[in-house]
Amino acid sequence: MLLKVHVLGEGIIGQTALNGKYQWIQADGPSGEWNSFRSTENKHTFQDDSEVCYQFSSGIKTIVVVPVEPQGLVQFGSTEKISERLDFVD
């Protein structure tokens, strides 16, 4: 993990912190396309999220970002494509 400052409202981390809703994102193909189940209405906001693209190009297939108030966020990644599970988020 890299130490990085995130701007509230920008990118996956910033959007999750701002709206308080988890993000479940999966790589959809070998060329690095991805799909965010919780943010389809905000798809354009996340198109240029280079951190997510870098993780997917490194072999990550699923990323989950969960708000943990008031502490912040927790980000999980898997090299397997995992279907969205609310019990995991809870």
Side-chain angles (χ1 to χ4, degrees), residues 4-23:
K4 183 176 178 182
V5 175
H6 296 277
V7 177
L8 189 63
E10 291 185 14
I12 299 293
I13 303 295
Q15 275 293 322
T16 304
L18 182 66
N19 65 28
K21 297 178 182 173
Y22 74 91
Q23 303 289 332

Side-chain angles (χ1 to χ4, degrees), residues 9-73:
E10 291 185 14
I12 299 293
I13 303 295
Q15 275 293 322
T16 304
L18 182 66
N19 65 28
K21 297 178 182 173
Y22 74 91
Q23 303 289 332
W24 195 287
I25 310 143
Q26 293 181 331
D28 284 339
S31 61
E33 306 93 34
W34 51 284
N35 179 36
S36 176
F37 293 107
R38 293 285 296 170
S39 61
T40 53
E41 68 276 3
N42 294 324
K43 185 76 170 167
H44 298 291
T45 303
F46 304 117
Q47 285 295 334
D48 296 322
D49 198 318
S50 60
E51 186 174 338
V52 170
C53 293
Y54 177 74
Q55 291 175 32
F56 285 147
S57 69
S58 297
I60 298 295
K61 303 286 188 218
T62 303
I63 297 172
V64 180
V65 182
V66 181
V68 183
E69 295 182 15
Q71 292 83 5
L73 303 168

